[in-house]
Structure formats: C-alpha cells, structure tokens
Amino acid sequence: MKRILIILFIFLLSACNDNAAVEELKEDYPEIKEVAEQFPESVQEKLAAPTVLPFEPKNVSLTYAGDMPGNPKRDILHTEFIYGDGVGVNLHVTTYHNKNTTWSSDEKTMKTVKLKDGTEALIEGDAINVKQIRWKKDGTYYSIMLIKAPKVEKEYTIDDVVRTANSMEY
C-alpha cells in the first residue's frame, strides 16, 4: 500500500509541474512532440501555450530559431506555436529564450494593456490585419500576434489577443 501511495504521489508531483496546454499539443500533434523533445530541458520547461484562442485551429505547428538539432551548444533564441484556421488567419505565440532579449526603445510611446495577473503588455500592432502584444513575465519575454488575410471578413480586436494571453499556461 505504501508503494502505491509513493508512486501516486510522484505521479501527482510530476503532473503538477507539466504545462497541460503544451502537453495536450504534444499529444494531439506528434510533430510538435518530435520538435519539442529535441530542445534542451531548459527550453522545454519554458514552452508556453494558451488554452483560449480567437478561432478554432485547423492546424498547429511548433517552430524555433536557433542552432540546428545535434549542435551541442543548442542555443534556442525563440520558440513559436503557430495556430492556423485553414482559411487565412494565423496566431503566433512566441516565447523568447535568449537571456539577452530586449524590446525596441520606442516602448514609451506604445499603448499598453493589463493582463489579468497585473502584467503590463505593450500593444505593438493594432492594424486591421495584424494585432500584436508583448510582455515580460518572470524574466521571460512573450509575444502574441494575430495575422489575418485581407479576404477574411471576420474582424479581430486587441481584446481577442489579450484573452489569448490571459489563458497562457507557463
């Protein structure tokens, strides 16, 4: 009985440490799991994904910028989950892993919005076809950008992007 309790306790501990949104993506999209498992553990621990999207995704991919697999140094600058609706709307959720990441110097002129946890996010883009916010949390930078083709009639707002940011699982 003790052994079962210990195994259950270890299982619960490991489940609490996993990011459910990322784990679900890995389960639903084997190609995401394949890419994610090539990353160093420090990068895998920082992968973040939302649970609320402004549309129903038809496809999801995980991309990255940095050294190619097999390079022992494995510097990953950023990782990006890209959600597509299949008809002209994409949502890019980017996590910047490089410790030297900085934002542009025009931050003082940018509008901001508060996320539900009190984090201040900069509104980097609020055009008809591109909505983008970016923020820093616990020393890591994040960005969400929604891009829609001009032919897509549905209108999206910064609020749609903020709702997505508020659902992020870090």
Side-chain angles (χ1 to χ4, degrees):
M1 181 68 173
K2 242 184 189 180
R3 182 175 277 179
I4 293 172
L5 288 174
I6 290 171
I7 291 170
L8 182 61
F9 179 72
I10 291 171
F11 176 76
L12 288 173
L13 267 180
S14 64
C16 291
N17 291 334
D18 285 343
N19 178 326
V22 171
E23 291 304 314
E24 186 174 328
L25 286 170
K26 286 187 206 176
E27 188 175 305
D28 293 346
Y29 300 91
E31 60 276 10
I32 288 177
K33 181 177 182 177
E34 185 179 322
V35 172
E37 289 179 351
Q38 293 178 29
F39 297 144
E41 194 65 36
S42 61
V43 171
Q44 290 184 46
E45 291 170 357
K46 293 279 188 183
L47 289 176
T51 58
V52 174
L53 300 171
F55 56 84
E56 185 66 35
K58 299 290 185 236
N59 50 61
V60 184
S61 63
L62 173 59
T63 64
Y64 66 95
D67 294 331
M68 297 300 290
N71 182 328
K73 192 173 173 189
R74 291 304 318 257
D75 284 336
I76 303 296
L77 303 176
H78 73 262
T79 55
E80 185 171 61
F81 286 104
I82 303 172
Y83 301 82
D85 73 346
V87 294
V89 182
N90 288 318
L91 184 80
H92 297 251
V93 178
T94 308
T95 302
Y96 296 87
H97 300 276
N98 187 325
K99 299 278 185 229
N100 297 323
T101 299
T102 58
W103 300 116
S104 63
S105 60
D106 62 350
E107 290 179 8
K108 290 181 174 57
T109 62
M110 295 175 127
K111 291 181 181 178
T112 61
V113 63
K114 287 264 190 208
L115 301 181
K116 71 179 180 184
D117 67 359
T119 301
E120 189 172 275
L122 296 170
I123 299 173
E124 187 155 36
D126 192 9
I128 293 171
N129 297 323
V130 179
K131 310 290 182 190
Q132 182 176 10
I133 63 172
R134 58 186 167 131
W135 69 99
K136 183 178 181 180
K137 181 173 177 65
D138 300 329
T140 302
Y141 290 88
Y142 301 92
S143 171
I144 296 181
M145 178 172 50
L146 184 137
I147 305 168
K148 76 174 191 112
K151 68 180 181 181
V152 174
E153 292 183 19
K154 179 167 177 26
E155 295 296 322
Y156 293 96
T157 67
I158 282 294
D159 289 338
D160 294 317
V161 178
V162 170
R163 271 190 294 282
T164 300
N166 282 331
S167 77
M168 289 287 286
E169 290 189 359
Y170 303 96

